[in-house]
Structure formats: C-alpha cells, structure tokens
Amino acid sequence: MKEREVVARRLLRSAAKASFDPGVDVDWDAPMEPGKYFMPPERVSLYGTDVWGRLDEERRIELSRHEFASITYVGVWLEVSLMQLFMRFVYDLDPRSAHAQFALTEVGDETRHSVMFGRLLDRLGAPRTRLPGVVHHGGRLYKAVGAGPAMWATFLVGEEVFDRIQRAIMDDPRVQPLVRDVSRIHVIEEARHVRFARAEIVRSMRGLGKARLAAHRLTAALTATAPVGFMIDPEVYRCVGLEPEEGRRIALGNPRYRETLLWMGGKIMPFLEELGLIEGPGRALWRHTGLVR
C-alpha cells in the first residue's frame, strides 16, 4: 500500500474517533465570566508596553477581546480560502482512495470550524475585521491558481501559527471558558490536518528543479505571511484610546510582541527551513512579518 494511503487511513481512523459537533459540544448559551481574558494577556500585542502599564484590568481584557476577534476573523477568511484551494486538489483524486476520502473529511472539518468560529465571533460582539483589499482580492486570485509546495506552506503556516495561540488559550484558566472550549476542539481536529499537509509538502518537494523551487520560495513568502501580517486589525486599538496607526506602531516596536510572533512560528518555521523554502529574496518578508529572525 502506498505511503499516502497508509497515512490517510490512519487519519480517517482518527477522524472517526475524535471529531466534534460544535452545535452540541459547545455551550453557546453560557455567559461570559467577569474578569476573564479572551487570550493569554502576555500574547496581547501591547503587553509590556507603557500603554499596557497605564491600562486598568477592564481595558486590558477589552483589548484582548478585540485582538482575539480580529485573529479569529482572519482565521475564518483563511479557512474559507484554504477550503477552495483544497477542493481544487481533491478534484483530481480518485474518490475510492483513502487519500481522497480523508481530504474530503478535512473539508468537512474546516466547514464546521468556520461555522463554529462564526458563532464565537457573534458571542464576542467585536466589530468585523476586514483585510486590506489587496490581500482579500489577492487571496481570491491565489485560491484559483495556487498549487504545490507554496500552497502546502500556506496551509501549514496558517494552521500551525494559529494552532500555537489556541493551544495556549485552551490550557489557560485566565481565559473565558467558551473561548477555551472552541480552541480545544479546533486544536484536536486540526492536528490531523497538519499531519496530512506535512506529508504532502514533503512529497511535493521531490524532484523540484532550481527555477521551480525559487518560484515556490517567493510565492510561499507572499501568501503564507499575509494572514500573520494582517491578523490584528489596527482598528482594535481604538478600544483603548489609541489611533490605529499609533497602536500598530507601538505593537510592532514592542519586543514582547516580536517574541510572540517568533513563538507562533516556532513549530512550523524550522520545518519549512529544513525543506529549503525560507531561502532567497522571500526570506526578507518572513523576517519582516516576524516569524523568523
């Protein structure tokens, strides 16, 4: 049996044992608990700055709510984009194979996740985050043409960077129970998606010539960094009395936040570097986004 079929059968068994129905497994009517954050405070972009020091606890919690909502909006945008890319990949597969069947199972997982995050955003009550037009419409183009190692790199960065923060959330008693429950479901189900994508990117790298490798390096740098670079809408800083550009400037100059960005990329970036995808001109963009030094 081919390696990809062995992996797919294992992942199908995992999906059968550890899948959730957010409509049933999450208590959507539970009230938010007073005094609880919406993400670990040390992962909020202004944590450790003079501005943070001047905020009372209520304002700090409010900023965590807005930042987490912004990250979640971008996560939904990413999942919807990746589902469309993924369906183009499935289009050419043999539906009899476990490989195709797990790919379709993953699309089902992602659909439930997007609904789950939509319901969570409704409970959060924060304003809708809108990505810059060039990113939104660039995503529309890429999901129609993306393929190969750059596509899988985009999958993995999107999944593993957001997974890192959700793992921190789900184990933190300082965070709202509803947010922890949703994060736990996503982390458990997303683990098999990461396993699938890691196997696929390794396979897709085999036999790449120098020119194609260079093209995938640059494309991955452009497409995989976008969700991270824009995951916090500068408008969130209005909730603590800052103008958006001032808040963004303070956040990007905050050593604590730069360390958080490195931490978020701590699992996936060494893997992509080992594959040779973080070399060439695109490395400057990875560095600018904060995922590598």
Side-chain angles (χ1 to χ4, degrees), residues 71-129:
I71 292 169
T72 303
Y73 272 115
V74 173
V76 173
W77 168 78
L78 182 64
E79 288 202 326
V80 171
S81 299
L82 295 183
M83 277 191 278
Q84 292 178 70
L85 274 168
F86 210 60
M87 287 306 296
R88 288 180 46 248
F89 169 74
V90 174
Y91 189 82
D92 293 320
L93 300 181
D94 181 347
R96 298 172 300 176
S97 69
H99 190 66
Q101 290 164 21
F102 177 74
L104 289 167
T105 299
E106 180 168 337
V107 172
D109 288 346
E110 299 291 16
T111 301
R112 291 197 313 278
H113 294 168
S114 295
V115 172
M116 176 174 70
F117 288 132
R119 294 187 69 172
L120 179 59
L121 285 164
D122 184 51
R123 287 296 315 276
L124 292 175
R128 180 181 178 183
T129 291

Side-chain angles (χ1 to χ4, degrees), residues 260-286:
T260 285
L261 291 169
L262 283 170
W263 168 80
M264 291 175 79
K267 287 180 65 178
I268 185 56
M269 297 313 298
F271 177 68
L272 295 181
E273 288 199 274
E274 185 179 336
L275 291 176
L277 281 170
I278 315 296
E279 303 302 324
R283 187 176 181 88
L285 186 53
W286 291 105

Side-chain angles (χ1 to χ4, degrees), residues 231-252:
M231 67 182 175
I232 297 180
D233 184 347
E235 289 292 323
V236 306
Y237 300 115
R238 291 191 188 278
C239 77
V240 291
L242 295 176
E243 288 298 312
E245 288 311 309
E246 180 188 9
R248 181 172 175 79
R249 176 184 58 78
I250 294 170
L252 293 179

Side-chain angles (χ1 to χ4, degrees), residues 207-226:
L208 277 185
K210 289 184 178 180
R212 289 182 62 204
L213 177 57
H216 279 288
R217 283 171 172 166
L218 185 57
T219 302
L222 290 168
T223 60
T225 60

Side-chain angles (χ1 to χ4, degrees), residues 41-176:
E42 60 272 15
R43 301 305 175 190
V44 176
S45 65
L46 298 185
Y47 179 83
T49 64
D50 290 342
V51 172
W52 182 267
R54 293 194 296 269
L55 296 176
D56 61 25
E57 190 73 354
E58 183 179 353
R59 290 289 91 189
R60 291 174 177 179
I61 290 173
E62 182 70 356
L63 180 59
S64 78
R65 180 173 71 93
H66 281 257
E67 286 200 12
F68 179 72
S70 180
I71 292 169
T72 303
Y73 272 115
V74 173
V76 173
W77 168 78
L78 182 64
E79 288 202 326
V80 171
S81 299
L82 295 183
M83 277 191 278
Q84 292 178 70
L85 274 168
F86 210 60
M87 287 306 296
R88 288 180 46 248
F89 169 74
V90 174
Y91 189 82
D92 293 320
L93 300 181
D94 181 347
R96 298 172 300 176
S97 69
H99 190 66
Q101 290 164 21
F102 177 74
L104 289 167
T105 299
E106 180 168 337
V107 172
D109 288 346
E110 299 291 16
T111 301
R112 291 197 313 278
H113 294 168
S114 295
V115 172
M116 176 174 70
F117 288 132
R119 294 187 69 172
L120 179 59
L121 285 164
D122 184 51
R123 287 296 315 276
L124 292 175
R128 180 181 178 183
T129 291
R130 296 183 184 273
L131 289 158
V134 66
V135 177
H136 181 77
H137 295 298
R140 193 187 305 280
L141 172 64
Y142 186 66
K143 64 195 179 190
V145 299
M151 179 188 79
W152 294 114
T154 304
F155 271 55
L156 283 165
V157 171
E159 289 172 341
E160 297 217 36
V161 163
F162 290 98
D163 178 82
R164 203 85 197 269
I165 189 68
Q166 288 174 331
R167 286 181 182 272
I169 285 170
M170 73 182 198
D171 292 327
D172 194 329
R174 298 171 297 175
V175 175
Q176 292 286 346

Side-chain angles (χ1 to χ4, degrees), residues 3-12 86 89-90 93 97-107 151-152 155-156 159-160 189-204 271:
E3 175 193 354
R4 59 173 17 181
E5 283 293 283
V6 173
V7 171
R9 289 180 185 277
R10 186 181 306 126
L11 295 174
L12 280 169
F86 210 60
F89 169 74
V90 174
L93 300 181
S97 69
H99 190 66
Q101 290 164 21
F102 177 74
L104 289 167
T105 299
E106 180 168 337
V107 172
M151 179 188 79
W152 294 114
F155 271 55
L156 283 165
E159 289 172 341
E160 297 217 36
E189 295 192 339
E190 208 69 18
R192 52 184 178 260
H193 303 175
V194 168
R195 175 69 182 87
F196 185 86
R198 282 187 174 233
E200 286 301 315
I201 195 172
V202 171
R203 188 175 295 110
S204 71
F271 177 68

